[in-house]
Amino acid sequence: MLGWAITFLIVALVAALFGFGGIAGASAGIAQILFVIFLALFVVSIVLRVIRR
């Protein structure tokens, strides 16, 4: 999932470089959402690992 967030971030940066503001904004928004989901799942997995031990 982190890979997808990075991919959308790169797409957003390239789109912004070429002046496509709408595509850049949408890609950046998707990248932010995926990154937050990744962080939430990461924290949950750490908590579950601590509980199991």
Side-chain angles (χ1 to χ4, degrees), residues 35-53:
F35 186 72
V36 168
I37 292 171
F38 168 77
L39 282 179
L41 290 175
F42 181 69
V43 169
V44 167
S45 68
I46 288 176
V47 169
L48 289 176
R49 180 171 288 194
V50 168
I51 291 173
R52 287 186 181 175
R53 286 188 180 184

Side-chain angles (χ1 to χ4, degrees), residues 8-38:
F8 277 108
L9 178 63
I10 291 171
V11 168
L13 292 175
V14 170
L17 180 68
F18 290 120
F20 298 111
I23 296 171
S27 295
I30 292 170
Q32 285 177 338
I33 291 168
L34 288 175
F35 186 72
V36 168
I37 292 171
F38 168 77

